[in-house]
Amino acid sequence: MRFALTDEQRAFADALDALLAAADVPAATRRWADGDPADGLHLWGRLADLGVTALGVPEEHGGLGGTPLDVAVALERLGYHGVPGPWIESVALAPALLADAAPEVLPELAKGTARVTCAALPWAPHALDADTATHVYLLTGGALSRARVDRPLRSVDPARALAPLTPEETIGTVDDRVVDQVALGTAAWLVGAGQRLLDDTVAYVTARRQFGRLIGEYQAVKHALADVRVGLDFARPLVGGAARSLGSAVTPEDASREVSAAKVLASDAAHRAARTALQLHGAIGYTREFDLSLWLLRVRALLGAWGTPAFHRARIAASLRGA
Amino acid sequence: MTTDPSGGAVFFGDPDSLRDPDYLVGPDPLDHLEGLGFPGPPPPGSVPGRRGGTAPRDTWGSDRGLDFTERELAFRAEARQWLADHSPGRLPSMDTPRGARAHREWERELAAARWSVVAWPEAFGGRDASLVEWVLFEEEYYRAGAPTRIAQNGISLLAPIVFAHGTPEQQQRILPRMADGTDVWAQAWSEPEAGSDLAGIRSRATRAEGGWILNGQKIWSSRAPFADFGFGLFRSDPDAERHRGLTYFLFPLDAPGVTVRPIAQLDGDPGFAEIFFDDVFVPDADVLGGVGDGWRVAMSTAGNERGLSLRSPGRFLAAADRLVDLWRGRGTDQPAATERVVDAWIGAQAYRYYTWDTVDRLRAGGDVGAHGSVNKLFWSQLDVDLHETALDLLGPEQELVGPWIDDYLFALGGPIYAGTNEIQRTIVAERLLQLPRGDERRPRTDREARA
Ligand SMILES: Cc1cc2nc3c(=O)[nH]c(=O)nc-3n(C[C@H](O)[C@H](O)[C@H](O)COP(=O)(O)OP(=O)(O)OC[C@H]3O[C@@H](n4cnc5c(N)ncnc54)[C@H](O)[C@@H]3O)c2cc1C
């Protein structure tokens, strides 16, 4: 029996942390939101050099042939650092999405020269960052098409440019279950983002004083943060378990149900982390200029991306009903 | 044992007459299990080998990516088969004379087949099972709908200490009789003035020829009304600091000077008791660990209690399955209930994976430590939520005494015992999140606060 991450997975996560902690990700994210993607694209290249974009791509297409768990580990770290761009779509979804329909894109994807985005009904009605993506697809009822980008829409997270798509030519049929990969990637990202919100809030309450003492000494503050920790600690293994299911010989139905469970619990945990973080920061947390907003707003956006909690709960209910 | 059934305010009458099905007028409540969404007795011959109820549908899924070894899988298969053939299903409450007898009988049956303490060394009746095998056994145990264990407190809270700190003589004397249900043990830590603040205990031990004299009072001691022995902390050095000068003692509950007064729990059963000590002599042979070292010895089990040992995931997976079955039978058209059923099911899945994660960490040489508090917060909340959801699904029938109500009332204790959830949150905040301790214990006035 083995459940813990391997040494390799840990080392990879550490390497990502080192790179991203040294890069000024919040600045890159703010510029990305202002329509200047240069820093974000530079970061894309550096993460590609580390192998992130190659993780999910099979070796015969120039990738690393990693498992869904490898992908989840990486996306959790990207979520922790709040990197901008269609990462979940490119890393978790694109390899499976394009495996048969457009395998020629895979080597570029692995190298990091392709950035793929995709909308899929009813999971994600709008494509993320279609303006900066190199490949834009629409998945409807199993049909995969190249797509044209319509007038963009604003997301609660200014660093997420969203666009409705109009399908152009159909390039293949795809099993809808590929969407499980991206839903799971979103769950992993949410766990990372939630952990970041917790860490930043712990740091804040151990520095901020009121009534002559650190606010972290107050039990109401401690207990709120303890609940955040419990939520994240239980969401993480569920994400790991679902990733293992996706990568193993489990029936697709079981794996889908676990992915939904992971997305629901990760959403709940990240949401609690976000609400608690805002509350404990007080007014400074309510501002755009303070970096906390980058994670607060991203979490809010991702709660609805690739299946809302209600959608995933309904999917679990349907599966349990028919079990 | 001297029991005092006239315990006035805290004990509402004779424990035997209150809940023991033998004494109830009318049909045995266990007959109604089916109607309340619990698996009832199987139609004759329908489930080969099963003595008790039919198991509900199992939504635990396959082994997924867990990668068990051949040996682990073989162990599990053997346990599954034996339990399917032998599990008696639900037994009457162990906190009644009839139930206690039935549960001890079950312990003996488990022990005879060496399933009562699988993780113990073979010399003590175990199977030398690994941690992984132990968790697998627990999953199978609950999958088979087998009864809760009357030996639990002894096996999970005392035995680890006897293995770690007991003398060979103590090990020989205590462990085999615990393993086969002959001796049932009760934990006697809490006192009326020392609940969350356990180090505030006042019951004392004074030196005597060849041993110690115990005086004082313990309370909320689970199983004590029908148990044989107790274990607990006493202040052996009145001058030492709060956490020092405590010693861990073992004592028979029928020793001269011991009075056990049962206390009815919310469900009416005498699930715990007060224990009074009036010049009770305990020989040196019944000191566990060093004199004055009781706190350290005791704390090495507190982590067990909150962490893995008390609440293995099988328990919640099985309860979630029963809930899903109940919902399928009568609630799938209630959207609000459906969400909560789904959340309970998700919680049980999360608990399972969290446990496997913990197992892996322990195998790599890590320890449970303050993570036990995270664990306890999660399972105790999950248990209450899951059972409240079941009751709500039952509609007006929810108030009827039966297995759902029993399990619900049992779950309600979870956030209180094994260290209240408030205390656990503080531990998580201070030990895992490293938040400052401060001196919040010092009372402050409003005025001071505004100054
Ligand atoms: C079903 C059940 C079985 C039990 N079995 C046993 C047993 O077998 N053996 C045994 O020894 N004991 C047992 N107990 C007792 C249990 O360990 C205590 O009830 C528990 O430690 C709390 O102590 P208390 O009841 O005195 O509550 P108190 O300590 O008085 O607490 C009352 C309330 O105040 C809160 N509180 C107290 N201090 C703080 C603080 N510093 N910060 C924040 N909040 C605080 C508590 O969280 C709680 O909400 C059992 C209890 C139950 C309910």
Side-chain angles (χ1 to χ4, degrees), chain A residues 219, chain B residues 187 189-190 195-196 220-222 272 416-417 420 422-423:
Chain A
Q219 200 174 60
Chain B
Q187 172 177 266
W189 286 8
S190 303
S196 299
W220 319 129
S221 179
S222 295
F272 46 29
I416 300 172
Y417 63 76
T420 68
E422 287 71 30
I423 299 294

Side-chain angles (χ1 to χ4, degrees), chain B residues 90-443:
Chain B
R90 251 177 126 83
L91 294 177
S93 163
M94 67 173 86
D95 299 320
T96 60
R98 188 180 85 139
R101 277 195 302 279
H103 277 84
R104 284 184 196 240
E105 195 49 52
W106 169 237
E107 291 295 331
R108 275 190 279 277
E109 191 171 346
L110 279 171
R114 280 195 310 122
W115 291 113
S116 68
V117 285
V118 294
W120 289 14
E122 294 188 6
F124 290 101
R127 289 177 178 244
D128 251 326
S130 67
L131 187 54
V132 173
E133 288 166 339
W134 176 75
V135 177
L136 286 174
F137 174 77
E138 291 281 308
E139 288 193 358
E140 293 308 317
Y141 189 84
Y142 289 101
R143 199 197 292 268
T148 44
R149 304 278 304 271
I150 194 170
Q152 169 114 291
N153 280 357
I155 291 172
S156 66
L157 303 179
L158 176 59
I161 296 208
V162 175
F163 278 118
H165 303 276
T167 62
E169 184 277 325
Q170 285 172 330
Q171 295 176 350
Q172 285 303 334
R173 175 158 52 98
I174 294 167
L175 297 172
R177 291 168 62 88
M178 180 192 292
D180 68 8
T182 305
D183 294 339
V184 171
W185 287 81
Q187 172 177 266
W189 286 8
S190 303
E191 296 183 6
E193 304 299 325
S196 299
D197 187 12
L198 190 59
I201 59 173
R202 297 181 186 168
S203 293
R204 42 185 209 288
T206 38
R207 204 75 182 96
E209 178 70 32
W212 297 79
I213 305 283
L214 306 183
N215 276 290
Q217 180 191 357
K218 296 289 179 176
I219 196 168
W220 319 129
S221 179
S222 295
R223 305 292 85 75
F226 303 105
D228 308 287
F229 291 91
F231 55 96
L233 291 175
F234 289 76
R235 195 161 289 288
S236 52
D237 179 355
D239 301 325
E241 238 184 282
R242 270 159 47 88
H243 294 81
R244 294 171 204 271
L246 298 173
T247 300
Y248 201 114
F249 287 100
L250 312 173
F251 47 86
L253 288 169
D254 62 0
V258 172
T259 305
V260 176
R261 190 165 70 169
I263 306 172
Q265 296 186 337
L266 275 184
D267 64 2
D269 285 339
F272 46 29
E274 289 176 288
I275 309 175
F276 298 91
F277 298 84
D278 190 6
D279 283 339
V280 177
F281 176 77
V282 185
D284 283 328
D286 285 338
V287 171
L288 188 55
V291 170
D293 205 20
W295 183 259
R296 199 178 58 84
V297 172
M299 285 308 114
S300 64
T301 47
N304 281 331
E305 186 174 16
R306 289 172 211 134
L308 271 181
S309 70
L310 193 60
R311 292 293 173 268
S312 54
R315 201 182 173 106
F316 302 104
L317 290 162
D321 276 349
R322 287 196 296 271
L323 178 66
V324 167
D325 257 27
L326 177 69
W327 166 77
R328 286 169 48 111
R330 56 167 83 201
T332 50
D333 56 342
Q334 302 177 37
T338 296
E339 286 228 331
R340 292 165 59 203
V341 170
V342 166
D343 282 345
W345 181 84
I346 292 174
Q349 299 293 310
Y351 194 68
R352 181 177 195 233
Y353 282 128
Y354 182 86
T355 300
W356 286 119
D357 206 33
T358 305
V359 166
D360 231 354
R361 192 150 38 82
L362 293 177
R363 288 197 318 163
D367 60 16
V368 170
H371 295 276
S373 298
V374 172
N375 197 53
K376 199 254 166 167
L377 285 164
F378 190 84
W379 66 249
S380 59
Q381 196 54 50
L382 170 63
D383 209 17
V384 174
D385 290 349
L386 191 157
H387 287 96
E388 286 190 332
T389 302
L391 293 185
D392 289 350
L393 274 170
L394 285 169
E397 277 170 47
Q398 61 179 294
E399 69 171 295
L400 296 182
V401 168
W404 282 115
I405 281 286
D406 287 351
D407 289 358
Y408 169 62
L409 293 179
F410 180 78
L412 285 182
I416 300 172
Y417 63 76
T420 68
N421 283 10
E422 287 71 30
I423 299 294
Q424 303 316 311
R425 286 191 181 92
T426 301
I427 292 175
V428 170
E430 292 179 357
R431 308 231 182 110
L432 293 180
L433 300 178
Q434 309 286 316
L435 291 181
R437 284 189 67 119
D439 59 348
E440 212 191 12
R441 286 156 191 87
R442 183 171 66 94

Side-chain angles (χ1 to χ4, degrees), chain A residues 1-5 198 201-202 205-206 211-214 216-227 229-231 233-235 237-238 240-242 244-245 248 250-251 254 257-258 260-262 264-265 268 309-310 312-314 316-323, chain B residues 57 59-69 72 132 324 327-328 332 338-339 341-343 345-346 349-351 353-354 356-357 359-360 363 371 373-375 377-379 421-426 428-430 432-440 442 444 449-450:
Chain A
M1 199 285 291
R2 143 139 236 135
F3 195 80
L5 298 183
L198 174 61
T201 308
V202 165
V205 303
T206 21
F211 301 106
R213 62 181 61 179
L214 295 170
E217 290 177 25
Y218 294 106
Q219 200 174 60
V221 170
K222 282 182 181 160
H223 286 195
L225 289 171
D227 284 338
R229 169 77 188 237
V230 172
D233 275 11
F234 276 86
L238 194 58
R244 287 178 158 86
S245 293
S248 72
V250 165
T251 65
D254 266 11
R257 194 166 68 183
E258 285 194 40
S260 283
V264 170
L265 209 64
D268 283 359
H312 284 288
R313 284 192 172 95
I316 295 169
S319 160
L320 291 176
R321 191 179 291 128
Chain B
R57 183 183 354 277
T59 64
W60 308 6
S62 63
D63 297 334
R64 295 140 185 174
L66 287 174
D67 248 349
F68 295 117
T69 64
E72 288 158 356
V132 173
V324 167
W327 166 77
R328 286 169 48 111
T332 50
T338 296
E339 286 228 331
V341 170
V342 166
D343 282 345
W345 181 84
I346 292 174
Q349 299 293 310
Y351 194 68
Y353 282 128
Y354 182 86
W356 286 119
D357 206 33
V359 166
D360 231 354
R363 288 197 318 163
H371 295 276
S373 298
V374 172
N375 197 53
L377 285 164
F378 190 84
W379 66 249
N421 283 10
E422 287 71 30
I423 299 294
Q424 303 316 311
R425 286 191 181 92
T426 301
V428 170
E430 292 179 357
L432 293 180
L433 300 178
Q434 309 286 316
L435 291 181
R437 284 189 67 119
D439 59 348
E440 212 191 12
R442 183 171 66 94
R444 285 163 58 88
R450 278 196 214 98

